[in-house]
Amino acid sequence: EAEIEKLNKLLEASQAREKGIEAKLSSEVFTSKAPTPIVERERNNLLETQSTIKKIQEQIVSFRNQK
């Protein structure tokens, strides 16, 4: 149970990070004015964050199925 709680907190933090990156990338001001490498870095950060979210969700399901 404590492990699931810990994973849920990590999931919430990762989802908040995802929303922040998505907001940045949806900003026309950011994407038009930031250098291309910076925009690409943020896109990669978004993909990595989404991958992390998926892994955390899978871990939560796995822990719940062990009960």
Side-chain angles (χ1 to χ4, degrees):
E1 193 67 34
E3 188 64 31
I4 291 174
E5 190 174 318
K6 178 181 167 188
L7 288 169
N8 277 324
K9 287 182 182 182
L10 188 57
L11 179 62
E12 289 174 15
S14 295
Q15 288 171 329
R17 183 169 191 256
E18 177 188 36
K19 286 184 182 188
I21 297 169
E22 286 175 336
K24 190 183 287 187
L25 289 172
S26 67
S27 166
E28 194 174 316
V29 173
F30 173 76
T31 55
S32 66
K33 295 196 178 203
T36 302
I38 302 293
V39 176
E40 287 301 314
R41 185 183 72 209
E42 289 302 316
R43 287 188 180 128
N44 287 335
N45 286 342
L46 179 61
L47 292 175
E48 288 174 14
T49 302
Q50 290 170 333
S51 176
T52 298
I53 289 169
K54 185 176 179 184
K55 288 176 187 173
I56 294 168
Q57 290 170 330
E58 289 169 354
Q59 288 178 323
I60 291 170
V61 169
S62 177
F63 273 108
R64 287 188 176 145
N65 288 339
Q66 289 177 4
K67 287 188 167 188

